[in-house]
Amino acid sequence: MNFLAHIYLSFENDEITIGNFIADSIRGNKYKHLPEMVQKGILLHRAIDTFTDAHPTVRKSTKKLHKNYSHYSSVIVDIFYDHFLAKNWSTYSDTPLDVFVDQFYDLLETHYTILPDPVKRMMPYMIADNWIFNYSQMDGISRVLDGMNRRTKNKSKMNFAINDLEEHYEEFEAEFVSFFEELTIFSKQKYNSLCEN
């Protein structure tokens, strides 16, 4: 899953949210210096990714993209799924999306000193262009895919995946809704077990 899903699946625990968000920038066990709950957020992130990557519904989504995008398919599906979470946000949260996202940006500022360098470098762009809120719009997703393609030096051709999203929009959305219900249950159970220890 992509940024918005990981933030949402931190269940409004600030330090878990930070860990869940920065986890992709942390290699192996190089997180032992961080506060305990941030460490648990990293472990929650990794459990979410493992569950997601192995899930048959997610694989069904990636299969539609594999021919054109090969191993980038799973990254694209993560972005598509964040779009559907943002678009249908009121189904999942009572807090308006713009308020939720602004609170998250404030949280990053509060915990700035413990953020990994790659996150610190990305933050100004993410906040200035309001990436997470703009996931709800097709042009926002298109910009994200363009940016990802540039990061691969145009090898991934991910910028064209917006066409696949438009072509299979209802299928991708149905797959997201089905999967996200299961992911939320799994994540809550994992969150509870981490917080109990």
Side-chain angles (χ1 to χ4, degrees):
M1 300 304 291
N2 211 42
F3 295 145
L4 181 59
H6 280 292
I7 299 162
Y8 173 77
L9 294 170
S10 299
F11 307 103
E12 298 180 9
N13 179 311
D14 288 355
E15 289 190 311
I16 292 275
T17 301
I18 292 295
N20 206 340
F21 180 72
I22 68 174
D24 281 335
S25 298
I26 307 280
R27 293 286 162 258
N29 66 351
K30 293 188 165 70
Y31 57 82
K32 302 292 187 181
H33 62 289
L34 294 167
E36 184 183 0
M37 292 305 282
V38 175
Q39 293 185 37
K40 290 181 176 186
I42 291 167
L43 296 176
L44 176 59
H45 178 108
R46 291 176 177 179
I48 287 168
D49 280 359
T50 300
F51 180 87
T52 300
D53 291 345
H55 199 282
T57 303
V58 177
R59 291 189 169 181
K60 191 174 170 187
S61 291
T62 56
K63 197 172 178 187
K64 283 193 268 293
L65 300 169
H66 203 268
K67 181 179 165 203
N68 291 331
Y69 308 102
S70 184
H71 61 282
Y72 296 107
S73 301
S74 58
V75 178
I76 296 167
V77 168
D78 283 349
I79 294 165
F80 286 2
Y81 279 14
D82 251 17
H83 164 66
F84 292 117
L85 176 57
K87 177 196 160 203
N88 299 304
W89 184 252
S90 61
T91 305
Y92 300 101
S93 177
D94 294 330
T95 305
L97 182 60
D98 59 338
V99 174
F100 182 88
V101 171
D102 283 345
Q103 288 171 345
F104 170 68
Y105 294 153
D106 290 343
L107 192 64
L108 286 181
E109 299 282 2
T110 304
H111 292 82
Y112 187 81
T113 54
I114 66 167
L115 301 178
D117 288 340
V119 175
K120 287 178 178 173
R121 286 194 295 270
M122 175 182 72
M123 241 178 88
Y125 304 103
M126 181 175 68
I127 294 171
D129 294 334
N130 206 358
W131 293 354
I132 297 173
F133 179 77
N134 287 325
Y135 284 151
S136 60
Q137 307 297 325
M138 289 294 276
D139 62 339
I141 292 298
S142 185
R143 283 198 300 275
V144 170
L145 292 166
D146 282 343
M148 297 293 281
N149 181 55
R150 283 195 303 276
R151 281 173 63 186
T152 67
K153 298 184 171 54
N154 301 319
K155 285 190 202 128
S156 68
K157 310 296 184 200
M158 285 166 73
N159 52 311
F160 294 113
I162 195 71
N163 301 323
D164 299 85
L165 178 57
E166 288 168 346
E167 184 180 349
H168 302 287
Y169 195 86
E170 289 176 6
E171 287 173 62
F172 280 125
E173 186 164 22
E175 286 157 11
F176 162 77
V177 169
S178 162
F179 166 68
F180 200 68
E181 189 175 339
E182 291 182 48
L183 178 63
T184 303
I185 294 165
F186 167 82
S187 301
K188 187 64 176 175
Q189 289 170 341
K190 185 67 181 176
Y191 170 86
N192 289 338
S193 72
L194 285 166
C195 291
E196 282 163 11
N197 295 325

